[in-house]
Amino acid sequence: MKNLKLLSGVVLIGGSQTIRVIVNLLTIAVLARFVSSEEFGLIAVLTSITLIANYFGEFGLSVSIIRHQGKGLQRVCNLVFWWTVILSSTIGTALFFASDTIAALLKNDEFAQLISAAALLYVIVASRSAHKAFVERAMRFKLIAIIEVVGALVSSCIAIVLAIMGAGVWALLAQQYALAGFLALGYMAFSGFRPGLPRRLFDARSLIKFGSQLTLYQLLSIAGNYADRPIIARLQGVENLGYYSVGNQLIQFLVLHISSAVQRVMLPALSSIREDMEMMRQSYLKVMHAICLVTLPSMVGLSLVSDEFVLIFLGDNWAPTGQIIAWNALAGPFLALNWFNYTVILTLGRVGLQLILGAVQAALTVLAFSVGAYFGIDMVVKLFLLATLVITVPIWVVTARSLKLPIIQTLKQLSVLFMNVGIMALVISLVDPLVTGSTIFRLVCLSTLGGIIFVAMEMVFERKKLLGFLKRKQKLRA
């Protein structure tokens, strides 16, 4: 019964993430025709600052709610709520007064107005942290899916209307405000948690100690994943950053949202079975294979048809984004795997080990961004792929050893899948020069061919796993 609930959770969260991916892709396709690449670049830099501010405001405390066992849950939730509100309010105020200084560093006066206007956004995001964690801990995945899908639809509609009216970059900021506000109201209204008065706030010392390590890891993760934006803005200009950020967003929507769905389901699920190491190992192998089954063929396929994809969905003006998507898509599956491995390490309570790996990953990726930005945005994505492949190895090995799982067993679990994707890529590459006609025709033909080849190879070499997945799906429907 529990396995069916987890599968139901993955389906619901995965389905909602898929809908959000489609909504965001369509939204970007529309906004790209009304918002300039320079304005996309400005909002990309603001997003980096917002992520850092939100991590400081949340301070890793919400994970304590999900991992909490025993009595005192209401007290923990109340502590988390008030601390996140206090921290985020402080950060928002500080950024408001530092807006001119930050804008001067980026050599863009308009950016000061954006930072000032976004000051309240951090408080809105942080205010929902405890309520959201309370819902995730209870594994109320249907509620999560409904709130987040409706929020994505509402915020996208607002952004599109404002962009058509000529709001420019402010349409993108309004989208962030609308999404944050809707999610906050949704979780507060339906979570079942009601915060009390801010009493005995300094009883949160143990939570803050755990949260500080997790926050430091998250900040290192941001440095590794988002330091590219200010670096590219300074060395290659805001316009090139716009091309880069749109291509990067597409991969994040397609990969990180999928892996995020798995993480949000598996963190509370694995936390409940972390004393049973054998069950942890079995769950790890199954989820790892499922992540690769979804991300590996789709990302490799997208890499091979990236130019056609950009011309159709974004238009001729965004042609430079094609090569960015091509290289970033290849890194996508490994980013998803690393994210899941970090979730397992966090579940086991090894935050210090997670912090060390995060520091190494951040150093490698920031180095890749810094060196690549001197040679162009194409070199940035190539070096980022190399850095991702290098760091994947120690993360994978450490996770396997933490679970007392032979590394050869994890490789065996994925070897056939990698072979099937390789054959699919080879066939598409050989047929590509032979397919002529319109851009849409080429995209449809190559994508369909790749899908047929991959499914056929899976049916031949991994028939048992596919049949097992279909049986679990039938049980879920029943």
Side-chain angles (χ1 to χ4, degrees), residues 233-303:
R234 192 165 185 84
L235 296 178
Q236 291 292 323
V238 178
E239 183 177 359
N240 281 328
L241 175 60
Y243 293 128
Y244 174 88
S245 64
V246 169
N248 205 33
Q249 282 182 51
L250 290 170
I251 300 304
Q252 287 182 356
F253 288 143
L254 292 170
V255 176
L256 298 185
H257 278 262
I258 294 171
S259 56
S260 173
V262 176
Q263 182 196 44
R264 292 175 66 183
V265 174
M266 295 310 298
L267 181 58
L270 292 176
S271 295
S272 67
I273 62 169
R274 63 176 181 261
E275 302 300 328
D276 189 341
M277 193 58 68
E278 180 59 31
M279 188 176 292
M280 283 278 291
R281 285 191 286 266
Q282 293 177 6
S283 299
Y284 173 75
L285 291 174
K286 290 179 181 178
V287 175
M288 181 179 63
H289 183 270
I291 290 173
C292 288
L293 184 63
V294 174
T295 60
L296 195 58
S298 60
M299 289 297 99
V300 171
L302 177 59
S303 177

Side-chain angles (χ1 to χ4, degrees), residues 195-229:
L197 296 175
R199 298 172 179 171
R200 303 179 67 179
L201 293 180
F202 291 98
D203 286 351
R205 285 189 294 270
S206 60
L207 299 181
I208 292 175
K209 181 179 179 181
F210 175 84
S212 63
Q213 290 182 310
L214 183 57
T215 301
L216 185 54
Y217 158 74
Q218 290 170 333
L219 292 175
L220 289 171
S221 180
I222 290 177
N225 291 322
Y226 295 97
D228 49 352
R229 299 177 183 186

